[in-house]
């Protein structure tokens, strides 16, 4: 396996008629890193995507309420076994730093037959066997992280490209 690059571990093809990109990530590709790599390959700054497959482990957070009733994210949760990603969906846009950023939520079942899910974290969800995906490019839309008016959390802001 020595000498194999990230690009070698990603299959991605463009269906010209629908402008959709489909493919898969192979073992050890990080889910977010793979999505970003495909977006770079096809010169995308905004897209919606869906995926299914398996992860060596899932790393995510979930919403919780503080004792004061304020919503916040939990501490990082890491599954203690490989998982089957039953449903995953997200958006790709630009972060406040101008780099590609992924917002992804998924539902999975672990090796204990427990179903869970949440807001997955960047760089911490490696593929176990395969992840199959479809990307829906958003050519005329700009997605850029900005603080939400109500929560003050950084969320994607949607606008038309100028």
């Amino acid at each position: 396996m020595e000498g194999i690059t990230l690009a070698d571990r990603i299959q991605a093809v463009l269906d010209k008629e629908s402008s959709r990109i489909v493919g898969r990530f192979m073992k050890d590709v990080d889910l977010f890193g793979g999505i970003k790599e495909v977006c770079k390959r096809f010169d995308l700054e905004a897209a919606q995507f869906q995926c299914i497959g398996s992860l060596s482990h899932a790393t995510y957070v979930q919403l919780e309420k503080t004792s004061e009733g304020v919503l916040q994210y939990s501490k990082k949760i890491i599954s203690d076994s490989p998982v089957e990603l039953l449903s995953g969906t997200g958006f790709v846009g630009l972060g406040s730093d101008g780099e590609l950023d992924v917002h992804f939520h998924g539902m999975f079942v672990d090796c204990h037959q427990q179903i869970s899910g949440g807001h997955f974290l960047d760089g911490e969800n490696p593929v176990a066997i395969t992840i199959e995906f479809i990307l829906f490019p958003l050519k005329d839309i700009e997605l850029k992280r900005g603080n939400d008016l109500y929560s003050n959390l950084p969320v994607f802001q949607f606008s038309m490209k100028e």
Side-chain angles (χ1 to χ4, degrees), residues 8-160:
D8 296 328
R9 294 179 154 314
I10 297 173
Q11 294 176 347
V13 293
L14 172 66
D15 176 23
K16 291 179 184 175
E17 187 171 332
S18 70
S19 296
R20 294 176 181 155
I21 300 162
V22 296
R24 76 180 189 99
F25 305 134
M26 297 175 204
K27 182 176 177 32
D28 296 330
V29 171
D30 175 70
L31 177 60
F32 286 33
I35 291 292
K36 291 176 191 177
E37 180 67 24
V38 171
C39 287
K40 288 176 188 172
R41 189 181 297 177
F42 290 93
D43 197 28
L44 297 177
E45 291 184 344
Q48 190 269 328
F49 68 94
Q50 297 171 330
C51 61
I52 58 170
S54 60
L55 299 170
S56 297
H57 61 270
T59 306
Y60 58 102
V61 295
Q62 296 174 332
L63 276 179
E64 61 185 17
K65 275 189 177 180
T66 66
S67 57
E68 297 81 30
V70 176
L71 285 177
Q72 65 182 23
Y73 282 112
S74 66
K75 290 183 179 175
K76 179 167 55 173
I77 303 166
I78 304 172
S79 69
D80 67 355
S81 77
V83 303
E84 282 290 328
L85 189 57
L86 303 173
S87 177
T89 189
F91 283 95
V92 180
L94 298 177
S96 56
D97 60 0
E99 297 295 319
L100 286 175
D101 193 7
V102 175
H103 183 198
F104 178 80
H105 287 221
M107 182 174 65
F108 63 86
V109 61
D110 64 20
C111 290
H112 314 290
Q113 293 79 45
Q114 298 298 306
I115 294 175
S116 192
H119 174 100
F120 282 52
L121 301 178
D122 192 357
E124 302 186 50
N125 292 282
V127 173
I129 298 170
T130 189
I131 288 284
E132 296 159 349
F133 66 88
I134 184 166
L135 263 163
F136 303 89
L138 302 170
K139 299 281 188 183
D140 297 326
I141 307 296
E142 182 176 81
L143 274 70
K144 192 164 186 184
R145 289 268 184 194
N147 283 351
D148 178 70
L149 180 63
Y150 299 101
S151 69
N152 204 33
L153 293 172
V155 298
F156 278 136
Q157 307 293 323
F158 295 78
S159 62
M160 298 300 294

